[in-house]
Amino acid sequence: MPHLNLNYLFSDPEAMDAHALPNYDGLDFVSAGSHIYGEIMWPSGEFKKPHPCVIMLHGFPGSARNDDISHALCRMGCVVLVPHHRGAWGSQGKYLVTHCVEDAYNLAVHARSEDFAKKYAVDRDNIFLLGHSMGGNSALNAGKSIPWIRGLILVAPYDPTCLLQKSKEEYLSALLNEGKILNSDGTDAIYEDILKNRGNFEFTNAYPNVRDKNILIISALYDSVSINDKMIAPLWKLLSNGAKETQESDASKTIHRLVEYPTEHGILGRRISMIKEIGKFVDECSI
């Protein structure tokens, strides 16, 4: 029995054991006193237990769920958590970028807990954070504080500090329309949270704590949201230069990979290629 099977990313098995079917359950997890709701998916019984676990972190405001990724990862043998952050899409609490990072950290710790791992057959040594857009910020800045995280997958990651040089009104204008679905104290509160914690969120500041972690970055070349040269390139330059400097050490075994697609922010038009890259990365990093 395999741990993972990349052939199932885009195909179904011919037969399944009726007593060990893939399935899903509701996620109800308490993060800092607020109930976080979402979904837990697990693979069929043909896969050897325990399973790698991928936690999917949505962006702002959370309307893009990336279900094609989560279902593909489950088919190939992963347990997948799809949460909604505090204040987003029915979860309790108030939406803040700080809360998203805290939720990501707390979910990773929860997924690794003995009770959760036993119930859902999670491999506690193979837990991944995957985030799209603002979720990439959540994955990076939660993952930097988790020594045992197996890998970080950043899809068109958005650095919320990068455009703070703009006027407050101009910065907030991008949040007003999209953020109306969120439960928050308003866009001013979200802005002040970013401003206050800019040192904790800035991508390049995370480098010293992620340089030895497995990282896959998916970049959209025509991205008008996560601007490549401002948000992704500075971090990637540090990662790629660091890999060269340590190529003779144990750190050379760490995977740092950048994959670029000629798309906009949602990677539409290259979703299949992207999922193949993500599946391959999880497979290569899992031990």
Side-chain angles (χ1 to χ4, degrees), residues 3 7 9 12-13 16-17 26 31 88 106-108 121 135 139 149-150 175 201 226-227 237 244 286-287:
H3 281 283
N7 293 325
L9 281 174
D12 297 317
M16 292 189 291
D17 182 354
S31 178
N106 293 340
L107 277 162
I149 205 76
R150 180 53 54 191
L175 303 178
F201 295 154
S226 296
I227 304 168
K237 183 177 180 180
K244 293 175 184 176
S286 296
I287 56 174

Side-chain angles (χ1 to χ4, degrees), residues 59-62 95-97 133-134 158-161 163-164 166-195 225 231:
F60 182 95
Y95 183 92
L96 286 175
V97 176
S133 192
M134 191 75 84
Y158 183 83
D159 184 339
T161 71
L163 303 179
L164 284 174
K166 292 186 175 183
S167 69
K168 181 178 180 180
E169 292 73 21
E170 188 178 3
Y171 188 97
L172 291 180
S173 66
L175 303 178
L176 287 173
N177 288 330
E178 291 190 22
K180 60 187 176 184
I181 193 66
L182 299 173
N183 180 30
S184 73
D185 288 326
T187 50
D188 282 296
I190 296 173
Y191 176 85
E192 293 301 326
D193 176 56
I194 295 168
L195 190 64
V225 178
M231 298 188 184

Side-chain angles (χ1 to χ4, degrees), residues 140 154-159 162 202-205 207 210 215-221 223 225-242 244 256-260:
L140 178 69
L154 315 179
V155 179
Y158 183 83
D159 184 339
C162 194
E202 187 174 346
F203 281 10
T204 52
N205 288 348
Y207 171 71
V210 300
I215 299 178
L216 169 64
I217 301 177
I218 303 291
S219 170
L221 293 176
D223 199 330
V225 178
S226 296
I227 304 168
N228 280 278
D229 61 344
K230 294 181 179 294
M231 298 188 184
I232 297 173
L235 174 62
W236 177 248
K237 183 177 180 180
L238 291 173
L239 289 169
S240 56
N241 287 343
K244 293 175 184 176
H256 291 162
R257 185 174 298 152
L258 172 68
V259 180
E260 300 176 314

Side-chain angles (χ1 to χ4, degrees), residues 24-254:
Y24 66 94
D25 199 356
L27 172 68
D28 183 354
F29 164 71
V30 178
S31 178
S34 296
H35 284 263
I36 303 297
Y37 303 123
E39 184 179 25
I40 307 166
M41 307 167 65
W42 59 89
S44 72
E46 77 171 87
F47 293 99
K48 185 177 179 180
K49 297 179 181 179
H51 312 294
C53 176
V54 181
I55 301 170
M56 307 275 295
L57 305 169
H58 65 74
F60 182 95
S63 52
R65 282 172 47 89
N66 294 299
D67 285 343
D68 52 346
I69 303 175
S70 58
H71 280 275
L73 291 173
C74 185
R75 281 195 302 272
M76 73 174 261
C78 296
V79 172
V80 184
L81 274 64
V82 187
H84 296 297
H85 288 290
R86 269 178 272 176
W89 301 91
S91 289
Q92 294 179 347
K94 298 293 181 69
Y95 183 92
L96 286 175
V97 176
T98 298
H99 290 172
C100 292
V101 175
E102 291 174 354
D103 293 344
Y105 179 92
N106 293 340
L107 277 162
V109 172
H110 179 61
R112 196 171 187 260
S113 68
E114 186 174 350
D115 288 346
F116 187 91
K118 182 178 180 180
K119 182 175 181 179
Y120 294 104
V122 166
D123 186 339
R124 301 171 72 195
D125 292 324
N126 286 311
I127 296 176
F128 297 79
L129 292 175
L130 185 159
H132 171 243
S133 192
M134 191 75 84
N137 175 71
S138 304
L140 178 69
N141 284 304
K144 71 185 182 185
S145 301
I146 306 175
W148 41 261
I149 205 76
R150 180 53 54 191
L152 305 175
I153 303 165
L154 315 179
V155 179
Y158 183 83
D159 184 339
T161 71
C162 194
L163 303 179
L164 284 174
Q165 75 274 12
K166 292 186 175 183
S167 69
K168 181 178 180 180
E169 292 73 21
E170 188 178 3
Y171 188 97
L172 291 180
S173 66
L175 303 178
L176 287 173
N177 288 330
E178 291 190 22
K180 60 187 176 184
I181 193 66
L182 299 173
N183 180 30
S184 73
D185 288 326
T187 50
D188 282 296
I190 296 173
Y191 176 85
E192 293 301 326
D193 176 56
I194 295 168
L195 190 64
K196 179 181 178 181
N197 294 284
R198 64 186 305 171
N200 294 327
F201 295 154
E202 187 174 346
F203 281 10
T204 52
N205 288 348
Y207 171 71
N209 294 315
V210 300
R211 59 181 298 173
D212 295 328
K213 299 184 186 300
N214 298 311
I215 299 178
L216 169 64
I217 301 177
I218 303 291
S219 170
L221 293 176
Y222 304 114
D223 199 330
S224 58
V225 178
S226 296
I227 304 168
N228 280 278
D229 61 344
K230 294 181 179 294
M231 298 188 184
I232 297 173
L235 174 62
W236 177 248
K237 183 177 180 180
L238 291 173
L239 289 169
S240 56
N241 287 343
K244 293 175 184 176
E245 293 170 2
T246 59
Q247 60 184 349
E248 300 301 326
S249 71
D250 289 341
S252 64
K253 299 176 183 178
T254 301

